[in-house]
Amino acid sequence: MKADEQIVEAVKGGRRKGQDLMVGRYGQEVFAMIVRQVTDVMDAQELTQDTFLRAFDHIDSYDPHKASLSTWLCRIAYRLTLDFLKRRRPMIVPIEDSQAWQTDISDEQLEAELSTGREERIQRLEQLMDDLLPDERLLLTLYYFENRPLDECAFIMDATSHALANRLYRIRKKLYKQLQKI
């Protein structure tokens, strides 16, 4: 029996050791994902704790055929973090969003522009990411910072891989447009 299966069975059995093993094995990963989105460490710790409490309560819904235990936990963390961010920050759609899609830019141009290593451009890009909608920041975090494949991101975010690929393109295009204003 694999380690994840043993952890799940122990949690299903209500054993504290299973819960401790799950938190010990995946706590840092879940916290790292959350803290990139939530600037206050105390809030991130609370969301991490809430993630595991929710996982313990809903362990019967975990299906190892759909996702790894790590991905399933990140899906729970994603939803809780997104809810938290939506409560904290009003949803504002900048006016430039409506104009951002009017010029076609190739993937190669976007990638070259966004990966330019100039220090001020990198700082500006980090500032622009802070201004993105919470689900856009979370998608960038999962895909670029955690190097998760699109199919895992799709499971975590409850979307299709194709939809997320399009969304990543639009987010990168939005960032590119904003960087051009520098």
Side-chain angles (χ1 to χ4, degrees):
M1 187 180 280
K2 292 182 186 176
D4 282 355
E5 291 173 7
Q6 290 174 334
I7 291 171
V8 169
E9 288 306 313
V11 172
K12 282 182 179 179
R15 293 191 301 276
R16 174 85 178 163
K17 183 178 181 186
Q19 294 174 346
D20 291 344
L21 286 170
M22 185 185 287
V23 172
R25 187 167 196 176
Y26 297 110
Q28 280 300 108
E29 180 180 347
V30 169
F31 177 76
M33 185 186 102
I34 294 170
V35 80
R36 285 188 192 107
Q37 307 306 314
V38 179
T39 54
D40 185 285
V41 174
M42 295 296 282
D43 288 337
Q45 289 172 337
E46 187 173 326
L47 285 166
T48 301
Q49 182 180 19
D50 291 348
T51 296
F52 284 99
L53 291 174
R54 174 102 24 112
F56 301 152
D57 288 344
H58 295 92
I59 195 70
D60 289 330
S61 69
Y62 170 66
D63 183 353
H65 301 296
K66 288 185 179 179
S68 68
L69 185 56
S70 166
T71 301
W72 183 72
L73 289 167
C74 285
R75 180 178 184 157
I76 295 169
Y78 165 80
R79 288 178 175 171
L80 290 172
T81 302
L82 193 58
D83 288 345
F84 173 83
L85 292 171
K86 284 179 180 178
R87 284 191 311 269
R88 287 281 176 124
R89 183 188 227 186
M91 189 165 163
I92 300 170
V93 179
I95 294 172
E96 57 268 4
D97 279 357
S98 62
Q99 300 164 352
W101 323 122
Q102 302 205 359
T103 305
D104 272 343
I105 301 166
S106 72
D107 274 338
E108 293 78 23
Q109 287 173 303
L110 276 173
E111 199 61 42
E113 187 65 26
L114 293 177
S115 62
T116 299
R118 290 192 355 232
E119 188 63 34
E120 66 270 5
R121 186 172 292 273
I122 291 170
Q123 288 174 347
R124 178 72 175 128
L125 187 56
E126 288 173 350
Q127 290 171 344
L128 291 172
M129 282 184 61
D130 289 341
D131 294 335
L132 291 174
L133 297 173
D135 60 326
E136 292 173 334
R137 275 197 328 275
L138 283 166
L139 175 57
L140 290 178
T141 297
L142 291 170
Y143 188 74
Y144 288 109
F145 294 105
E146 295 186 5
N147 296 315
R148 290 183 181 270
L150 269 179
D151 60 333
E152 276 190 36
C153 294
F155 179 82
I156 291 169
M157 298 180 75
D158 199 22
T160 65
S161 296
H162 179 73
L164 290 185
N166 288 334
R167 209 162 165 195
L168 278 169
Y169 176 77
R170 287 193 309 266
I171 295 167
R172 289 185 1 218
K173 192 171 181 178
K174 183 191 314 187
L175 292 172
Y176 173 82
K177 292 282 190 185
Q178 292 295 323
L179 283 172
Q180 294 305 304
K181 294 178 183 179
I182 294 176

